[in-house]
Amino acid sequence: MRLMLARFLLFALLFSSAGLLLYRGVCDFYLIYQGDVIVVQSESSDGYDYLLRIPKGYNDFSGPQPLLIYLHGAGDRGTDPMTLVDKDPVAFSRKEYRNRETAEFPFIVATPICPEKRWEPSRIIIMLDEILASTRFRYQIDPNRIYLTGYSMGGFGTYETAMAYPERFAAIVPVAGGGEPDKAEKLKDVAIWAFHGALDETVPLPSTQLVVEAMQNMDHKHVQMSVMAQQGHDIAEEVYRDKTLYRWLLRHRR
């Protein structure tokens, strides 16, 4: 009887709302469940730790899902991915719709945390490859619907990573970031929707304009820019709570 009670208490503890904690060495990986968020430690010292969100209602019969990778800005650098739980596209969307439409958020979302001064494209790709090869969770990713987006420092990281590995992404959404116009040709097969505040004093508007204009001059058919006339640098929440953005992403495949 005591043994049964002990097992019941252990089961209740593991699957309580406080979360499920598994340790490397016991299960050969490390992750923490926090509600609908999974905190994942990279399998490689060269990768990034990240938050992972699975669409509500997803199951083994749902089929391959699109993957959205979100890169945060400089102010959110650190080592604990849980500090980003209220600062990714899913969280921004929930603030707008007050949980009414979260079941319709149609992406698996990975939000890595960066401990250094800038995003390293090779480390983002290591994380992406880990997600695609992972046997930790029972999900499928559609390799033709992988999207990359980021805000501020993450916007720069979005451009840099897509320019270095354009074959990996169907579309990118840089927000209040910037890239190198002389490398714009590398993005000729990647759909782009860039956002920037007209009054941005942290990352001036030309940081986006020059890259977009370079792509338009190459007759890039899937590039567009939205300039938010009355906004400065802090535009992430407004951008990511708009469902139009997600519909646009899903129209693009590799």
Side-chain angles (χ1 to χ4, degrees), residues 23-74:
Y23 288 93
R24 186 184 297 274
V26 175
C27 298
D28 196 34
F29 60 85
Y30 173 88
L31 51 90
I32 304 174
Y33 289 87
Q34 298 279 355
D36 65 342
V37 180
I38 306 171
V39 182
V40 185
Q41 185 180 51
S42 175
E43 299 176 66
S44 166
S45 60
D46 294 325
Y48 288 119
D49 297 344
Y50 58 96
L51 296 182
L52 188 71
R53 295 188 192 259
I54 308 297
K56 188 175 181 180
Y58 178 80
N59 57 50
D60 292 350
F61 303 102
S62 298
Q65 299 293 296
L67 173 67
L68 177 63
I69 298 174
Y70 171 69
L71 309 180
H72 63 73

Side-chain angles (χ1 to χ4, degrees), residues 137-154:
F137 318 106
R138 301 181 70 176
Y139 62 69
Q140 302 177 63
I141 301 260
D142 184 345
N144 294 313
R145 293 188 295 166
I146 297 175
Y147 310 106
L148 181 64
T149 185
Y151 164 66
S152 193
M153 182 181 83

Side-chain angles (χ1 to χ4, degrees), residues 30 32 34 39-40 49-51 72 76-85 87 111-115:
Y30 173 88
I32 304 174
Q34 298 279 355
V39 182
V40 185
D49 297 344
Y50 58 96
L51 296 182
H72 63 73
D76 291 318
R77 288 177 294 194
T79 57
D80 180 7
M82 274 304 294
T83 61
L84 305 174
V85 72
K87 302 176 181 180
T111 304
I113 190 162
C114 178

Side-chain angles (χ1 to χ4, degrees), residues 119-179:
W119 290 101
E120 293 288 347
S122 61
R123 298 186 67 182
I124 294 168
I125 296 302
I126 287 172
M127 182 196 71
L128 171 58
D129 287 339
E130 286 183 3
I131 293 171
L132 293 174
S134 177
T135 58
R136 306 177 184 189
F137 318 106
R138 301 181 70 176
Y139 62 69
Q140 302 177 63
I141 301 260
D142 184 345
N144 294 313
R145 293 188 295 166
I146 297 175
Y147 310 106
L148 181 64
T149 185
Y151 164 66
S152 193
M153 182 181 83
F156 283 91
T158 296
Y159 277 120
E160 188 175 3
T161 303
M163 287 174 174
Y165 302 93
E167 73 284 357
R168 303 304 299 270
F169 304 103
I172 64 171
V173 180
V175 179

